[in-house]
Amino acid sequence: MPEPFVAYLRVYEPLSAFESPMRERLAAAVERGAVDPFDAGNREQDVWLRTQITAPPRLLPGDAAEEDPGDVLVLDPQDVPTAPAAMVGPAPLVCPLDLRGRSAAALVGFLGAAEVPLRSAVLSVPADKAKVRANAVVSELAGSAVHVLSSTWTVPLPWFVLVDPAERTELTDGERRRVCWRTPMADARRRVARAHAIGKQSIGEEGPTRILRETGRWLERFHPHSAVELDYGGLVQLMSDSDLEADTSAEDVHAIVDAMESDDAEEVGERYEALRDFWAEFAARERNN
């Protein structure tokens, strides 16, 4: 089974930043063994599928205690490029997969957007009951935030604002590969704040500017010495070597922000057209599926 065609924006916090009992629970998960980043998408898919093949099916991962494995990803601070003013750590940096909370939030969105026949075909319980249960789980997150945002089939272009285009990393594990960027939280917050201010001045508060505002608020909920990772995840399965060589998405997004600041509409248009052309193939795959 192919890895899900999902890209991720993750936050890795110092383990010491978590309060008890969560800190002890995460420490135990680290001791058991962190999830291999190459397997993260398949792991999430596997956990969710297991909730659906039980009798009766579970609505969300973790509805039964034994189905909540508390999986985490671990990152070494040395693998995060830093400038002198941007501290990351101490180790270990951990990113809980937060599957229960993320699944509940996704379910709330699905219930609000899907047509009645689709809801009826997918859900194992009545839609109103599913909504109540999902909202209850989401409300449990009021004092915290999920550490992972995900996007199917494509990468939201505002995400590229957070990272340094020059620090793209391609990692391999046999025939598998990952494409990701890592950056200190302080740098990510600074970049998103600047881009939001420029976007608000140039195009108003909607569209990409709204995404930047929401992303900035999300980042503020984590420890200032955390690390942020943008990972193409399973999308690399859709990309050929020539696609990856031609991919200048991060450079183009940063150039658009600079051009908006200098009122260079021609540069904005050219860069946006390049982005649209590159990601059009992946958007078409989403429509076909």
Side-chain angles (χ1 to χ4, degrees), residues 25-244:
R25 179 179 173 222
L26 293 174
V30 173
E31 183 69 21
R32 289 195 304 270
V35 175
D36 185 336
F38 283 93
D39 295 328
N42 286 330
R43 175 60 177 166
E44 293 184 357
Q45 184 180 63
D46 178 68
V47 171
W48 183 84
L49 287 174
R50 287 177 183 277
T51 68
Q52 304 306 301
I53 62 175
T54 59
R58 310 288 189 189
L59 183 65
L60 296 169
D63 274 354
E66 65 272 13
E67 295 171 351
D68 185 10
D71 290 330
V72 297
L73 297 168
V74 175
L75 183 63
D76 190 326
Q78 294 184 0
D79 293 330
V80 183
T82 58
M87 179 178 176
V88 174
L93 298 173
V94 299
C95 175
L97 293 187
D98 294 328
L99 285 177
R100 182 170 172 77
R102 290 167 54 207
S103 297
L107 180 56
V108 170
F110 171 78
L111 291 171
E115 299 294 334
V116 172
L118 180 58
R119 294 203 304 263
S120 300
V122 169
L123 295 174
S124 58
V125 299
D128 56 347
K129 184 177 181 180
K131 185 175 182 179
V132 169
R133 289 171 61 186
N135 279 324
V137 173
V138 171
S139 68
E140 294 173 3
L141 300 173
S144 60
V146 295
H147 288 70
V148 184
L149 303 181
S150 57
S151 174
T152 55
W153 296 101
T154 190
V155 179
L157 296 180
W159 285 6
F160 289 107
V161 163
L162 279 62
V163 299
D164 183 338
E167 293 174 344
R168 188 173 92 163
T169 300
E170 186 168 330
L171 306 170
T172 59
D173 178 20
E175 296 183 354
R176 300 185 299 175
R177 60 186 174 185
R178 294 177 65 213
V179 174
C180 61
W181 293 256
R182 294 161 179 162
T183 196
M185 176 62 76
D187 289 346
R189 288 177 178 174
R190 171 178 53 79
R191 292 174 185 137
V192 77
R194 172 178 177 261
H196 174 257
I198 293 171
K200 183 178 179 180
Q201 178 87 16
S202 179
I203 60 175
E205 278 282 15
E206 296 305 312
T209 310
R210 178 180 57 81
I211 296 175
L212 289 169
R213 182 182 72 246
E214 294 173 351
T215 304
R217 290 175 176 173
W218 176 65
L219 294 177
E220 289 293 336
R221 304 187 73 173
F222 300 103
H223 193 278
H225 296 163
S226 301
V228 179
E229 179 181 68
L230 171 55
D231 185 354
Y232 274 6
L235 295 187
V236 295
Q237 299 169 112
L238 305 175
M239 297 179 174
S240 65
D241 291 340
S242 58
D243 287 333
L244 291 175

Side-chain angles (χ1 to χ4, degrees), residues 260-271:
M260 290 170 64
E261 186 176 35
S262 59
D263 293 324
D264 187 344
E266 183 177 355
E267 176 75 0
V268 170
E270 290 177 356
R271 294 283 185 163

